[in-house]
């Protein structure tokens, strides 16, 4: 079976991955067939666009998440922090993606 990698990355224009840690402007997900970490015509688009969030901020410690064909996250654990200061009390959550591909959310 050929090696295929699923990439989820921040993208403000839904055309390319942005090399930023700010995920607030939206994201895309695609199968990176040619393994160049960028969306192009040879790749299979899975999610055309995750809309920008309206309230709050999403910041991550990595500018992309890569999963192998077994669903494992390639690289190190990733944390995406959500904060919203508009609530009467600060609202914060962390989305943690382990190397095994498990996703959990904490306060």
């Amino acid at each position: 079976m050929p090696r295929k990698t699923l990439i989820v990355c921040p993208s403000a224009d839904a055309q390319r991955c942005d090399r930023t840690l700010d995920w607030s402007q939206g994201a895309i997900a695609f199968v990176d067939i040619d393994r160049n970490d960028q969306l192009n015509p040879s790749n299979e688009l899975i999610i055309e666009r995750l809309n920008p969030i309206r309230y709050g901020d999403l910041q991550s410690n990595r500018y992309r998440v890569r999963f192998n064909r077994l669903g494992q996250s390639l690289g190190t654990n990733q944390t995406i922090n959500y904060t919203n200061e508009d609530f009467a009390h600060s609202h914060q959550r962390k989305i943690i993606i382990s190397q095994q591909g498990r996703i959990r959310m904490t306060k």
Side-chain angles (χ1 to χ4, degrees):
M1 175 181 255
R3 265 182 38 177
K4 291 185 181 177
T5 302
L6 174 75
I7 293 183
V8 183
C9 61
S11 177
D13 63 6
Q15 301 295 314
R16 63 180 179 82
C17 290
D18 298 332
R19 289 186 66 92
T20 179
L21 302 179
D22 181 3
W23 289 62
S24 301
Q25 299 305 310
I28 55 176
F30 61 93
V31 177
D32 188 21
I33 294 168
D34 57 7
R35 297 178 19 208
N36 69 351
D37 291 341
Q38 286 295 325
L39 178 62
N40 56 51
S42 67
N43 295 330
E44 178 184 353
L45 188 63
I46 304 294
I47 297 175
E48 184 173 333
R49 181 174 175 100
L50 295 173
N51 290 327
I53 61 170
R54 294 169 97 187
Y55 306 104
D57 188 44
L58 284 176
Q59 295 290 323
S60 179
N61 63 331
R62 291 174 44 203
Y63 61 89
R64 71 173 180 252
V65 185
R66 298 176 352 167
F67 295 96
N68 67 18
R69 64 184 176 87
L70 300 175
Q72 298 165 325
S73 176
L74 301 172
T76 61
N77 290 352
Q78 178 159 358
T79 302
I80 301 173
N81 296 299
Y82 170 77
T83 56
N84 187 336
E85 303 296 335
D86 291 340
F87 287 102
H89 298 15
S90 179
H91 186 73
Q92 298 183 357
R93 295 278 189 266
K94 290 183 186 228
I95 301 166
I96 300 164
I97 305 168
S98 73
Q99 283 187 279
Q100 293 78 28
R102 291 189 301 263
I103 300 171
R104 64 185 168 95
M105 187 165 56
T106 66
K107 288 185 176 186

